[in-house]
Amino acid sequence: MSHAKEQLLGWVRLVLTPGIGPVIGRKLVRAAGDIERLWRLSDTRLRSVAGIGPVLLAAMRRSSAEEARHRLDAWERSGLIVLSPDDERYPVRLAALDDAPLILFATGYPSVLNGPKMLAMVGSRKASRESRLLTYRWARYFCRQDVTIVSGMAAGVDWAAHSGALQEGTTVAVLGFGLQSEVSEEQQRMIKRIREHGCVISECLPEQAARPEHFPRRNRIIAGISDGVVVMAADRRSGALITAQQAANYGREVMAVPGNVLGRSHEGCHRLIREGALLVENPGQCMQNMGWQTAGRPVKQAYLPGNEQERQVLLALSQGPLAMDALSETCGLTIPELSSILLALELQGVVERLPGSRYLLNVELKDS
């Protein structure tokens, strides 16, 4: 058996030991010097490690190297990639943290876990269509700048981030359940798409189903693997705020997109901004905040209005999505006049119709 395999077996054995989590596990390995020496330490030396009492000591002595070998062989036969901190493919940004996972399970291309520019895009599962659309567009833009998008493959913002990234580049999904647990057909399809162009990882044992306590742990991985986090839309109870807090604790850049102060969908974003997160209104600002140079196509095409009525309509929409009634009142146009203008603009891709007869501007306006 190779030395690398022996090291990996040591990490798997540690993960399978009841009561040993990432923080204590890493303390043990540091005390021993490496994972192989750990399993040769005396009881006296193990008891000297902070957090190791009689219960954990007994659990370690009961742990089975043979069981670890059996489980690892089964995982690898099924096609899973098992990464330990001794593996050069293990995320470097994550490895430096005291609470980093002892092992990660992966499918896809682990090399993307150490991309030069890693940005997490997170937010509410119940984000509005506008926020999901904005996330999708920003993710496409970031990938055109060679940024790898990291998110949690949940509904809402996460899903939009992965979907946008897959149109242009690379994405990493961090799951709150095992890679071999039962998931919906839609999740299966997304995992397949991501692993073909990026990587899907999880700290959970492969057969573990999703549980509420898994998601804060998942969120710390999203924060730890990334250079920065942008919260696209989050109410005051959103789990994205946990990711943002973890990112701040790890010294990562935290950014947030503001929203309508009359609604609740961005209350969490506004709180983050009050507490020091950087307010961002476009993806170029995110790139600037991260110190990353931009290249490639702009996020929106420029459009020169064909007449004064078009200009009035587009100027009104430049302030945000509006319903047809509000546009009619703002621009002083009748509904029939406005409908004709909006239809022509929609056919050109200049505006997009949203639910509730609201319209969203898709372009940057040219002055002349």
Side-chain angles (χ1 to χ4, degrees), residues 93-106:
R93 296 167 180 83
L94 203 56
L97 306 177
D98 288 338
D99 61 349
L102 301 178
I103 58 173
L104 285 171
F105 299 92

PDB file of all heavy atoms in Angstrom, residues 93-106:
ATOM      1  N   ARG A  93      -6.931  27.134   0.711  1.00  0.00           N
ATOM      2  CA  ARG A  93      -7.537  28.179   1.557  1.00  0.00           C
ATOM      3  C   ARG A  93      -8.194  27.561   2.778  1.00  0.00           C
ATOM      4  O   ARG A  93      -8.168  28.133   3.872  1.00  0.00           O
ATOM      5  CB  ARG A  93      -8.562  28.970   0.746  1.00  0.00           C
ATOM      6  CG  ARG A  93      -7.990  29.761  -0.438  1.00  0.00           C
ATOM      7  CD  ARG A  93      -9.118  30.234  -1.345  1.00  0.00           C
ATOM      8  NE  ARG A  93      -8.683  31.000  -2.496  1.00  0.00           N
ATOM      9  CZ  ARG A  93      -8.253  30.459  -3.640  1.00  0.00           C
ATOM     10  NH1 ARG A  93      -8.194  29.124  -3.757  1.00  0.00           N
ATOM     11  NH2 ARG A  93      -7.880  31.218  -4.643  1.00  0.00           N
ATOM     12  N   LEU A  94      -8.794  26.406   2.589  1.00  0.00           N
ATOM     13  CA  LEU A  94      -9.505  25.723   3.666  1.00  0.00           C
ATOM     14  C   LEU A  94      -8.528  25.082   4.649  1.00  0.00           C
ATOM     15  O   LEU A  94      -8.756  25.084   5.858  1.00  0.00           O
ATOM     16  CB  LEU A  94     -10.415  24.662   3.050  1.00  0.00           C
ATOM     17  CG  LEU A  94     -11.628  24.160   3.832  1.00  0.00           C
ATOM     18  CD1 LEU A  94     -12.539  25.310   4.235  1.00  0.00           C
ATOM     19  CD2 LEU A  94     -12.381  23.140   3.006  1.00  0.00           C
ATOM     20  N   ALA A  95      -7.440  24.541   4.130  1.00  0.00           N
ATOM     21  CA  ALA A  95      -6.488  23.797   4.958  1.00  0.00           C
ATOM     22  C   ALA A  95      -5.893  24.653   6.068  1.00  0.00           C
ATOM     23  O   ALA A  95      -5.471  24.133   7.110  1.00  0.00           O
ATOM     24  CB  ALA A  95      -5.370  23.234   4.081  1.00  0.00           C
ATOM     25  N   ALA A  96      -5.856  25.976   5.870  1.00  0.00           N
ATOM     26  CA  ALA A  96      -5.244  26.862   6.856  1.00  0.00           C
ATOM     27  C   ALA A  96      -6.144  27.129   8.057  1.00  0.00           C
ATOM     28  O   ALA A  96      -5.698  27.726   9.038  1.00  0.00           O
ATOM     29  CB  ALA A  96      -4.881  28.184   6.181  1.00  0.00           C
ATOM     30  N   LEU A  97      -7.388  26.684   8.034  1.00  0.00           N
ATOM     31  CA  LEU A  97      -8.356  26.999   9.084  1.00  0.00           C
ATOM     32  C   LEU A  97      -8.393  25.916  10.155  1.00  0.00           C
ATOM     33  O   LEU A  97      -8.289  24.732   9.857  1.00  0.00           O
ATOM     34  CB  LEU A  97      -9.743  27.168   8.471  1.00  0.00           C
ATOM     35  CG  LEU A  97      -9.837  28.180   7.317  1.00  0.00           C
ATOM     36  CD1 LEU A  97     -11.244  28.195   6.740  1.00  0.00           C
ATOM     37  CD2 LEU A  97      -9.429  29.572   7.784  1.00  0.00           C
ATOM     38  N   ASP A  98      -8.592  26.336  11.401  1.00  0.00           N
ATOM     39  CA  ASP A  98      -8.595  25.385  12.516  1.00  0.00           C
ATOM     40  C   ASP A  98      -9.765  24.417  12.476  1.00  0.00           C
ATOM     41  O   ASP A  98      -9.675  23.314  13.027  1.00  0.00           O
ATOM     42  CB  ASP A  98      -8.623  26.141  13.853  1.00  0.00           C
ATOM     43  CG  ASP A  98      -7.303  26.834  14.161  1.00  0.00           C
ATOM     44  OD1 ASP A  98      -6.271  26.411  13.603  1.00  0.00           O
ATOM     45  OD2 ASP A  98      -7.315  27.803  14.946  1.00  0.00           O
ATOM     46  N   ASP A  99     -10.865  24.836  11.844  1.00  0.00           N
ATOM     47  CA  ASP A  99     -12.054  23.976  11.817  1.00  0.00           C
ATOM     48  C   ASP A  99     -12.306  23.384  10.432  1.00  0.00           C
ATOM     49  O   ASP A  99     -13.428  23.010  10.102  1.00  0.00           O
ATOM     50  CB  ASP A  99     -13.292  24.734  12.295  1.00  0.00           C
ATOM     51  CG  ASP A  99     -13.616  25.942  11.430  1.00  0.00           C
ATOM     52  OD1 ASP A  99     -12.782  26.324  10.595  1.00  0.00           O
ATOM     53  OD2 ASP A  99     -14.718  26.513  11.589  1.00  0.00           O
ATOM     54  N   ALA A 100     -11.253  23.300   9.624  1.00  0.00           N
ATOM     55  CA  ALA A 100     -11.404  22.721   8.281  1.00  0.00           C
ATOM     56  C   ALA A 100     -11.759  21.239   8.371  1.00  0.00           C
ATOM     57  O   ALA A 100     -11.354  20.542   9.307  1.00  0.00           O
ATOM     58  CB  ALA A 100     -10.116  22.902   7.491  1.00  0.00           C
ATOM     59  N   PRO A 101     -12.523  20.722   7.421  1.00  0.00           N
ATOM     60  CA  PRO A 101     -12.897  19.308   7.435  1.00  0.00           C
ATOM     61  C   PRO A 101     -11.673  18.386   7.451  1.00  0.00           C
ATOM     62  O   PRO A 101     -10.654  18.676   6.816  1.00  0.00           O
ATOM     63  CB  PRO A 101     -13.680  19.138   6.122  1.00  0.00           C
ATOM     64  CG  PRO A 101     -14.183  20.498   5.805  1.00  0.00           C
ATOM     65  CD  PRO A 101     -13.125  21.446   6.282  1.00  0.00           C
ATOM     66  N   LEU A 102     -11.803  17.274   8.166  1.00  0.00           N
ATOM     67  CA  LEU A 102     -10.713  16.298   8.211  1.00  0.00           C
ATOM     68  C   LEU A 102     -10.597  15.558   6.885  1.00  0.00           C
ATOM     69  O   LEU A 102      -9.492  15.192   6.471  1.00  0.00           O
ATOM     70  CB  LEU A 102     -10.953  15.314   9.354  1.00  0.00           C
ATOM     71  CG  LEU A 102     -11.053  15.950  10.752  1.00  0.00           C
ATOM     72  CD1 LEU A 102     -11.341  14.883  11.804  1.00  0.00           C
ATOM     73  CD2 LEU A 102      -9.795  16.724  11.093  1.00  0.00           C
ATOM     74  N   ILE A 103     -11.723  15.330   6.232  1.00  0.00           N
ATOM     75  CA  ILE A 103     -11.707  14.823   4.853  1.00  0.00           C
ATOM     76  C   ILE A 103     -12.853  15.458   4.084  1.00  0.00           C
ATOM     77  O   ILE A 103     -13.844  15.906   4.670  1.00  0.00           O
ATOM     78  CB  ILE A 103     -11.809  13.282   4.750  1.00  0.00           C
ATOM     79  CG1 ILE A 103     -13.066  12.754   5.421  1.00  0.00           C
ATOM     80  CG2 ILE A 103     -10.566  12.604   5.277  1.00  0.00           C
ATOM     81  CD1 ILE A 103     -13.281  11.256   5.202  1.00  0.00           C
ATOM     82  N   LEU A 104     -12.701  15.518   2.772  1.00  0.00           N
ATOM     83  CA  LEU A 104     -13.750  15.979   1.873  1.00  0.00           C
ATOM     84  C   LEU A 104     -14.022  14.890   0.846  1.00  0.00           C
ATOM     85  O   LEU A 104     -13.090  14.255   0.345  1.00  0.00           O
ATOM     86  CB  LEU A 104     -13.328  17.257   1.141  1.00  0.00           C
ATOM     87  CG  LEU A 104     -13.340  18.566   1.921  1.00  0.00           C
ATOM     88  CD1 LEU A 104     -12.682  19.672   1.092  1.00  0.00           C
ATOM     89  CD2 LEU A 104     -14.762  18.970   2.298  1.00  0.00           C
ATOM     90  N   PHE A 105     -15.287  14.706   0.528  1.00  0.00           N
ATOM     91  CA  PHE A 105     -15.675  13.799  -0.553  1.00  0.00           C
ATOM     92  C   PHE A 105     -15.972  14.661  -1.772  1.00  0.00           C
ATOM     93  O   PHE A 105     -16.604  15.717  -1.660  1.00  0.00           O
ATOM     94  CB  PHE A 105     -16.896  12.990  -0.152  1.00  0.00           C
ATOM     95  CG  PHE A 105     -16.673  12.125   1.051  1.00  0.00           C
ATOM     96  CD1 PHE A 105     -16.963  12.588   2.330  1.00  0.00           C
ATOM     97  CD2 PHE A 105     -16.140  10.854   0.913  1.00  0.00           C
ATOM     98  CE1 PHE A 105     -16.734  11.807   3.447  1.00  0.00           C
ATOM     99  CE2 PHE A 105     -15.911  10.048   2.020  1.00  0.00           C
ATOM    100  CZ  PHE A 105     -16.198  10.523   3.285  1.00  0.00           C
ATOM    101  N   ALA A 106     -15.508  14.209  -2.932  1.00  0.00           N
ATOM    102  CA  ALA A 106     -15.646  15.028  -4.131  1.00  0.00           C
ATOM    103  C   ALA A 106     -16.007  14.183  -5.337  1.00  0.00           C
ATOM    104  O   ALA A 106     -15.721  12.983  -5.404  1.00  0.00           O
ATOM    105  CB  ALA A 106     -14.335  15.781  -4.398  1.00  0.00           C
TER     106      ALA A 106
END
